[in-house]
Amino acid sequence: MRFGDQKGANPEELLAAAHSGCFNMALAFGLTKAGKVPDELRTTAKVTVESDGDGFSIKKIRLELKGRVPGMSAEDFKKAAEGAKAGCPVSKLFKGAEITLDAELLK
């Protein structure tokens, strides 16, 4: 579906789902490799589609992360999340878009 109230997902929503899933896997892999096994990682990607001449472009993507990682500081969690954002293959695909990250370590 394109836009509106009809059932179904549009391509931008599917890209957001792929981005959040890829980012989560990259972060989980990095944390586990560093000896910090996460109890929970939940990421949502919000894609912003903007008018671009005669068409539209994805200009911004916001990753919203909430996670539980025993024995990890909020600062180290944010650093690991930023690394995953930079290394995630889907993030690399969107290198022309502004990708922001809001990471919250839950207790």
Side-chain angles (χ1 to χ4, degrees):
M1 299 280 97
R2 199 68 218 144
F3 301 105
D5 296 330
Q6 296 177 348
K7 289 184 178 183
N10 63 46
E12 293 79 13
E13 290 170 329
L14 296 173
L15 290 170
H19 196 183
S20 60
C22 182
F23 168 79
N24 248 27
M25 289 191 297
L27 179 57
F29 177 78
L31 290 171
T32 302
K33 188 175 176 182
K36 299 291 186 184
V37 179
D39 285 345
E40 177 183 9
L41 296 173
R42 286 181 286 135
T43 303
T44 302
K46 296 184 178 180
V47 173
T48 301
V49 179
E50 296 179 4
S51 180
D52 186 8
D54 290 339
F56 296 89
S57 293
I58 294 173
K59 298 287 187 176
K60 298 177 185 176
I61 302 165
R62 180 174 178 81
L63 295 171
E64 296 178 355
L65 164 66
K66 294 189 185 295
R68 293 183 203 283
V69 186
M72 184 167 233
S73 70
E75 181 180 324
D76 288 343
F77 182 68
K78 176 78 171 172
K79 185 177 178 182
E82 288 290 345
K85 181 184 84 162
C88 162
V90 177
S91 289
K92 291 177 182 179
L93 177 67
F94 288 122
K95 66 182 175 183
E98 176 189 342
I99 302 173
T100 58
L101 170 66
D102 178 23
E104 179 184 354
L105 182 64
L106 303 171
K107 299 207 179 218

